[in-house]
């Protein structure tokens, strides 16, 4: 009788733990899009001065990023009209590979500048978290290649 | 089957049999018997060590505490899981705002 009561109690405890787990997960609050800077400030405990520095870095990086976007779209459009094995196609693919390297290098420099604006520990954590999320398309086919 | 004998039975043989006590002779190896009791010893001690557990479960207050503690542990685990997944999600969204290779085609993102 005592053993049965103990088993029932243990099962009840497990059930309550699981119910609390799934109920809490269901009430996850989603962040609105465009809120990345606020997330950055909260996640990496940025001071107002650090936030101001990072906003300036983002503003300086925006034109570089826009230019890269433009060149990516340009090469995509060109590759969409070229044959895979043609000389122009090969040249375009080489340009694409070079552009990917350039984009990655510029993005990494920006990330490192942002990390340098944070405290050392947070900066390392920032790089460890964000760098793996970058697209590295050096070995994949560019979009639109026939 | 015979009914049990009354200790105040006047029959002398019956009284003698009621009072007779004896210790049976030990059969087998002394070392074997000692080994058996040695092996039984830790298990008996372990059972004694956890004898309080069934008594604990019998207490309504302890039972309530266990259920509440389990619910709190489940909730805490979910909060930690939510935070970890949110961090990954937000980091991926942030990377999409700075990585031109992940950005949408030109003209669909504000600022570019």
């Amino acid at each position: 009788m005592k053993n049965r009561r103990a088993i029932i109690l243990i099962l009840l405890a497990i059930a309550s733990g699981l119910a609390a787990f799934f109920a809490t997960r269901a009430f996850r609050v989603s962040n609105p899009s465009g809120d990345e800077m606020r997330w950055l400030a909260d996640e990496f405990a940025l001071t107002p001065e650090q936030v101001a520095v990072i906003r300036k870095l983002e503003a300086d990086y925006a034109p570089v990023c826009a230019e890269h976007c433009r060149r990516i779209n340009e090469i995509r459009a060109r590759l969409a009209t070229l044959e895979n094995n043609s000389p122009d196609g090969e040249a375009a693919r080489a340009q694409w590979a070079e552009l990917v390297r350039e984009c990655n290098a510029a993005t990494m420099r920006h990330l490192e500048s942002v990390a340098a604006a944070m405290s050392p520990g947070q900066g390392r954590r920032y790089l460890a978290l964000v760098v793996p999320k970058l697209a590295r398309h050096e070995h994949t086919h560019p979009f639109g290649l026939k | 089957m015979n009914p049990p004998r009354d200790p105040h039975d006047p029959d002398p043989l019956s009284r003698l049999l009621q009072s007779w006590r004896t210790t049976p002779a030990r059969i087998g190896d002394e070392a074997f018997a000692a080994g058996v009791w040695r092996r039984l010893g830790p298990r008996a001690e372990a059972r004694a060590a956890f004898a309080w557990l069934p008594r604990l479960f019998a207490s309504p207050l302890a039972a309530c505490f266990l259920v509440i503690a389990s619910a709190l542990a489940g909730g805490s685990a979910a909060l930690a899981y939510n935070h970890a997944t949110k961090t990954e999600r937000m980091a991926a969204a942030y990377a999409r705002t700075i990585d031109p290779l992940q950005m949408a085609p030109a003209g669909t993102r504000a600022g570019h």
Side-chain angles (χ1 to χ4, degrees):
Chain A
M1 183 67 174
K2 277 187 195 172
N3 284 343
R4 189 159 55 171
R5 190 187 300 175
I7 289 169
I8 289 171
L9 183 57
I10 288 170
L11 289 175
L12 198 61
I14 291 172
S16 77
L18 289 173
F21 179 83
F22 288 109
T24 306
R25 266 196 65 192
F27 284 103
R28 178 174 66 187
V29 175
S30 61
N31 278 58
S33 62
D35 217 10
E36 288 84 15
M37 184 49 77
R38 181 186 294 185
W39 167 77
L40 210 65
D42 289 342
E43 182 66 30
F44 300 102
L46 300 179
T47 63
E49 293 77 21
Q50 288 171 330
V51 169
V53 168
I54 291 172
R55 281 195 194 278
K56 173 80 168 52
L57 289 169
E58 300 266 335
D60 292 343
Y61 176 68
V64 175
C65 192
E67 174 60 18
H68 286 153
C69 283
R70 188 194 64 77
R71 288 169 60 190
I72 287 168
N73 289 328
E74 196 178 280
I75 291 187
R76 269 173 168 180
R78 187 143 40 99
L79 286 165
T81 64
L82 295 173
E83 291 295 327
N84 198 2
N85 296 323
S86 66
D88 288 344
E90 291 291 329
R93 281 172 62 172
Q95 270 187 314
W96 168 258
E98 180 54 36
L99 179 58
V100 165
R101 273 191 291 274
E102 196 178 317
C103 288
N104 285 333
T107 308
M108 276 306 300
R109 275 196 302 274
H110 172 67
L111 291 180
E112 285 160 0
S113 305
V114 170
M118 302 179 176
S119 60
Q122 298 289 9
R124 277 193 294 274
R125 203 167 66 85
Y126 165 83
L127 289 174
L129 188 60
V130 178
V131 169
K133 309 286 188 297
L134 299 181
R136 309 284 180 119
H137 284 294
E138 286 160 0
H139 301 294
T140 61
H141 290 294
F143 314 111
L145 186 65
K146 281 205 285 194
Chain B
M1 187 179 163
N2 291 332
R5 289 275 182 186
D6 183 353
H8 301 296
D9 191 333
D11 180 10
L13 178 58
S14 181
R15 282 204 304 277
L16 176 65
L17 289 173
Q18 292 283 339
S19 66
W20 185 51
R21 296 285 181 268
T22 182
T23 305
R26 189 179 287 280
I27 301 170
D29 188 7
E30 287 277 348
F32 172 77
V36 168
W37 284 107
R38 204 166 39 246
R39 281 199 296 276
L40 287 174
R43 264 185 272 166
E45 281 168 13
R47 273 200 295 274
F50 288 101
W52 56 271
L53 209 55
R55 283 201 299 275
L56 179 69
F57 287 148
S59 158
L61 192 62
C64 286
F65 175 78
L66 186 64
V67 170
I68 290 170
S70 179
L72 286 174
S76 302
L79 285 174
Y81 178 81
N82 279 353
H83 179 75
T85 53
K86 177 190 164 189
T87 299
E88 287 294 314
R89 213 170 48 247
M90 291 305 295
Y94 173 75
R96 282 195 293 274
T97 66
I98 58 169
D99 186 3
L101 291 169
Q102 290 185 66
M103 283 175 180
T108 60
R109 188 187 177 310
H112 283 89

